[in-house]
Amino acid sequence: MIDSLYVAWKYISFSKIKTATLVACIALISFLPISLQLLLDESERQLMSRAVSTPLIVGAKGSALDLVMNTIYFGDEIPELITQRASELVMETDLALPIPVYVRFRARGHPIVGTTLDYFEFRGLKVAEGRQLALLGDCVLGAKVAEKVDLKPGDSLVSSPETLFDLAGVYPLKMKVVGILEKSYTADDLAVFTDLKTTWIIQGLGHGHEDVTKIKDTSLILKRTETNVAATAKLFNYAEITDENIDSFHFHGELSSYPITAVIAVPHDKKSGTILRGRYLSGEVSQQIVRPEEVIDGLLQNIFRIKNVLDAVISVVALATILAMVLVFALSLRLRQREIKTIFKLGCRRATIVRLLASEIFIILLISAVFCGALVLLVDSFANDLVRMLFIR
Amino acid sequence: MIRIQDLKFYYRLGEFSLDIREFSVTKGEKVAVIGPSGSGKTTLLNLVGGIIIPRQGMVSVDHIKVNELNDTGRRDFRVANIGFVFQDFELLDYLNVLDNILHTYRITGAMSLDKGVRLRAAALAKEMGIGDKLKRHANDLSHGEKQRVAICRALLPRPKLILSDEATGNLDPANKTRILDRLFRSVEQHDATLLAVTHDHELLKRFDRIVDFQDFQRNQGF
């Protein structure tokens, strides 16, 4: 058998182009369904594990999928906004702990998640370096964000303006990096966390500036009465929150009317969860409550339906490839008739010819398997990021 | 060593036919077969070597009736007893010189391929003037070099009978003499028999007997 393998290897290494073509065909046609299954398994694992660990989400009526993807994976699609009042309403029911989430802005490509400290406890996120959020303007980085932007506690991170050419729009805020979270291998690793109020400052709903009552430059004052001073747009707003100017930051109006994207509701028990869901069934309520597990399950069903179609396509391609390979071997046998005759003349038995050909097929399959395995390993090592790229972002 | 009696052979679709009433070669004899192209010289070697079988009659080699052996038996007998130098060398392009010489050992499994055989193959190649080309592929060799590889492959198992079909046909005079010397020495060393087809009339005087196949066919036997 070793001699047969040796001779087969000599033939295969001599016919490099034919071997390379066959190996490429077999490796790719095997790699496709395996990698697809791998990615789907990974996507199912990623999507479901996070969905299962998030009991209920309250958000604006509309696409439940956008709401879930934005709230638990910080996806790009921003759902209709709700107000902080929605969070207070959940609290008032005494059925669940509300965790408001505002995912709208970005910093160097990463989502800024405005939330409360309850979020970190709920997700079990621990600070690996530095400290937790404490002051206005503080931010804590997910582990991968810290790696990618190469920042550490004490550094600054500037939020991205929503539109560059909208002068009245959102201005960048220079945030202070105070901590880096431990790796959680979830979407939290790819987010920048701030206090809810900091995100409102990014939006321009809160701001800090000089004390207008003490300003002497009349060009900065629009109107001055005994009880109120109105400044012009010329008045400089701070783009960074420092120890010196933090006290000047303030919000106009009721905070309960300020925007958030969703409220994660953590019911005290199963019964509380059911009652809470019931309260949102009424058509009069302007928000919806969803179970992420159900939404993601629906998404996965769709993905698997597409996968079934892809499987069928791949099966047809695989069949065509197998037929092409049979044809290649059959033609190769015809071309090698003289060689086979020679081997017979030298005293080789028919079984040895079969063994030689079987050895060639075995070696080609082995090389293809190695290539396929290497490609699958490559996909596997990037599966996490690929899944995020393909299914989440 | 070789005995043929009342042999009839013809190809199914061709016009060629071969009739041999009686033909024999004694052990240790060096016989040259000459004759025009298409007279059946190569067919004779193939019949003696058991590569083809007669339609009728008997072919025996070393007292074994080759035509009565089954397919496997003929192959095993050929591997064990006969060294064949084919007219068109029958080398495999994807193997190097050494692997081509050792190929019979590898594919038949009838003889063990040990270090001694490898050393003997290298020595034989050196003697034939291709010792420095052991690693070269067959398709990189000249006609003469290919022929010498084919001869090495035939001589390596030290066969009792050497069937040579134009073994020196593509060689220059110096190499022709050298190869024939080696072929004859191998025959003498191992008390073997040589049946060689040749067109080279200069070499005929070195053979014990010459068979002119055209006359042979006409006279139906010697």
Side-chain angles (χ1 to χ4, degrees):
Chain A
M1 192 63 200
I2 289 169
D3 285 331
S4 298
L5 284 171
Y6 177 83
V7 174
W9 171 248
K10 286 282 173 181
Y11 176 76
I12 283 169
S13 53
F14 185 75
S15 329
K16 289 187 181 70
I17 294 174
K18 185 186 135 190
T19 305
T21 311
L22 281 173
V23 165
C25 285
I26 299 169
L28 285 176
I29 211 68
S30 317
F31 160 74
L32 274 176
I34 297 172
S35 58
L36 190 66
Q37 190 59 50
L38 195 102
L39 287 175
L40 284 175
D41 288 347
E42 176 63 19
S43 66
E44 188 180 5
R45 190 192 65 76
Q46 272 196 33
L47 291 166
M48 279 316 270
S49 63
R50 194 131 166 111
V52 167
S53 65
T54 310
L56 294 166
I57 293 176
V58 176
K61 282 185 175 171
S63 166
L65 185 61
D66 283 353
L67 177 64
V68 170
M69 296 308 269
N70 179 267
T71 308
I72 64 179
Y73 302 109
F74 319 129
D76 285 338
E77 288 298 322
I78 300 163
E80 285 287 311
L81 300 179
I82 55 173
T83 61
Q84 170 69 354
R85 177 73 190 135
S87 177
E88 291 166 6
L89 283 172
V90 174
M91 180 64 100
E92 283 165 16
T93 62
D94 204 21
L95 294 168
L97 169 74
I99 303 171
V101 177
Y102 192 22
V103 188
R104 176 174 167 182
F105 306 106
R106 299 195 154 257
R108 291 172 70 174
H110 300 283
I112 296 173
V113 181
T115 186
T116 60
L117 291 176
D118 289 333
Y119 183 88
F120 299 94
E121 199 176 324
F122 167 64
R123 292 280 187 220
L125 298 171
K126 291 196 171 67
V127 176
E129 206 181 324
R131 61 165 173 82
Q132 189 47 279
L133 301 171
L135 298 168
L136 212 56
D138 285 354
C139 73
V140 168
L141 307 182
K144 274 195 177 171
V145 176
E147 271 174 32
K148 282 184 180 173
V149 299
D150 193 24
L151 291 178
K152 54 188 184 304
D155 293 336
S156 300
L157 179 66
V158 181
S159 68
S160 311
E162 273 193 324
T163 50
L164 275 174
F165 306 106
D166 182 7
L167 295 177
V170 172
Y171 282 85
L173 178 74
K174 192 173 177 183
M175 295 176 287
K176 188 177 172 188
V177 177
V178 294
I180 293 162
L181 297 174
E182 278 179 4
K183 249 186 190 155
S184 65
Y185 303 97
T186 65
D188 294 324
D189 288 344
L190 290 160
V192 176
F193 294 92
T194 66
D195 179 62
L196 211 47
K197 285 181 177 172
T198 305
T199 51
W200 290 333
I201 289 172
I202 292 172
Q203 194 177 345
L205 299 173
H207 53 229
H209 48 73
E210 280 183 81
D211 186 350
V212 287
T213 58
K214 292 174 184 166
I215 290 173
K216 287 174 182 155
D217 183 354
T218 51
S219 68
L220 296 174
I221 305 300
L222 189 67
K223 191 180 175 187
R224 191 191 294 267
T225 64
E226 276 181 20
T227 54
N228 196 25
V229 180
T232 63
K234 199 179 164 187
L235 183 70
F236 176 74
N237 283 329
Y238 300 123
E240 184 182 2
I241 302 166
T242 61
D243 293 343
E244 290 74 35
N245 68 21
I246 191 166
D247 293 335
S248 72
F249 276 83
H250 55 276
F251 298 88
H252 296 279
E254 281 292 314
L255 290 188
S256 60
S257 66
Y258 277 26
I260 54 174
T261 44
V263 179
I264 297 172
V266 188
H268 302 314
D269 50 44
K270 204 175 173 185
K271 188 180 168 190
S272 304
T274 310
I275 297 169
L276 188 66
R277 288 184 77 188
R279 298 215 175 159
Y280 287 85
L281 288 177
S282 160
E284 291 166 15
V285 184
S286 60
Q287 288 109 35
Q288 63 173 331
I289 190 162
V290 294
R291 274 187 70 211
E293 193 180 344
E294 286 170 4
V295 176
I296 295 298
D297 194 47
L299 172 70
L300 286 174
Q301 293 310 316
N302 284 329
I303 293 173
F304 287 128
R305 266 196 288 277
I306 296 166
K307 195 239 170 194
N308 286 341
V309 175
L310 277 176
D311 278 350
V313 173
I314 289 170
S315 302
V316 173
V317 175
L319 185 69
T321 309
I322 290 166
L323 289 175
M325 284 187 310
V326 170
L327 184 71
V328 167
F329 275 110
L331 289 174
S332 162
L333 274 184
R334 286 193 70 173
L335 288 171
R336 294 172 70 187
Q337 275 306 307
R338 197 176 154 269
E339 177 200 331
I340 291 170
K341 242 180 181 171
T342 299
I343 296 174
F344 271 128
K345 277 184 184 175
L346 291 175
C348 176
R349 294 179 182 196
R350 214 168 286 274
T352 310
I353 301 278
V354 173
R355 208 163 57 217
L356 280 172
L357 294 173
S359 300
E360 282 174 22
I361 294 170
F362 171 74
I363 292 172
I364 286 174
L365 289 178
L366 192 72
I367 300 171
S368 307
V370 169
F371 272 99
C372 177
L375 286 172
V376 168
L377 276 178
L378 194 71
V379 169
D380 192 36
S381 59
F382 291 106
N384 198 298
D385 294 333
L386 276 171
V387 164
R388 289 194 62 80
M389 208 164 73
L390 293 171
F391 298 109
I392 297 170
R393 284 205 175 162
Chain B
M1 184 71 185
I2 303 171
R3 209 167 147 233
I4 297 176
Q5 264 185 325
D6 302 324
L7 180 142
K8 273 189 195 299
F9 180 82
Y10 51 89
Y11 290 105
R12 197 166 289 169
L13 297 172
E15 290 176 355
F16 174 81
S17 71
L18 187 67
D19 286 290
I20 303 173
R21 203 181 308 140
E22 182 78 37
F23 175 69
S24 60
V25 177
T26 54
K27 194 174 180 188
E29 203 177 7
K30 296 183 274 286
V31 178
V33 180
I34 57 168
S37 297
S39 57
K41 303 185 297 294
T42 301
T43 306
L44 172 72
L45 295 190
N46 285 340
L47 283 163
V48 173
I51 291 172
I52 51 176
I53 47 171
R55 303 277 176 183
Q56 206 179 297
M58 184 273 290
V59 179
S60 94
V61 176
D62 203 16
H63 309 293
I64 303 289
K65 288 179 182 168
V66 180
N67 59 306
E68 288 180 4
L69 295 172
N70 64 14
D71 202 40
T72 310
R74 278 203 315 280
R75 275 201 191 100
D76 291 348
F77 180 77
R78 186 161 69 245
V79 170
N81 299 287
I82 301 172
F84 216 130
V85 183
F86 300 102
Q87 192 173 19
D88 44 4
F89 324 130
E90 306 281 1
L91 300 181
L92 299 174
D93 287 346
Y94 57 86
L95 296 180
N96 63 28
V97 167
L98 185 61
D99 284 334
N100 261 300
I101 296 172
L102 297 172
H103 199 50
T104 317
Y105 283 79
R106 282 214 168 89
I107 56 164
T108 59
M111 302 166 285
S112 70
L113 176 55
D114 53 28
K115 199 180 171 189
V117 175
R118 286 170 205 272
L119 289 173
R120 209 146 47 78
L124 197 56
K126 194 177 172 189
E127 208 176 327
M128 291 286 186
I130 48 170
D132 56 338
K133 297 181 171 69
L134 291 178
K135 297 284 173 197
R136 276 170 66 174
H137 278 96
N139 62 339
D140 292 334
L141 301 174
S142 68
H143 257 53
E145 287 167 341
K146 282 181 181 176
Q147 198 152 35
R148 281 179 270 169
V149 176
I151 293 168
C152 287
R153 185 178 62 194
L155 294 184
L156 187 65
R158 293 168 176 157
K160 289 179 191 166
L161 171 63
I162 298 166
L163 301 175
S164 162
D165 199 352
E166 295 287 347
T168 53
N170 291 290
L171 300 173
D172 57 85
N175 267 320
K176 207 178 277 185
T177 312
R178 184 174 168 189
I179 299 305
L180 209 65
D181 283 348
R182 182 63 189 85
L183 209 58
F184 278 22
R185 197 159 68 244
S186 184
V187 169
E188 281 152 14
Q189 270 175 357
H190 304 108
D191 200 17
T193 307
L194 174 66
L195 180 61
V197 168
T198 183
H199 278 113
D200 199 332
H201 289 260
E202 284 174 30
L203 301 173
L204 292 179
K205 58 181 181 289
R206 299 189 62 175
F207 286 87
D208 299 333
R209 185 151 60 101
I210 300 156
V211 177
D212 187 335
F213 222 62
Q214 203 169 19
D215 294 343
F216 175 73
Q217 283 272 58
R218 204 179 298 130
N219 300 330
Q220 284 295 294
F222 281 71

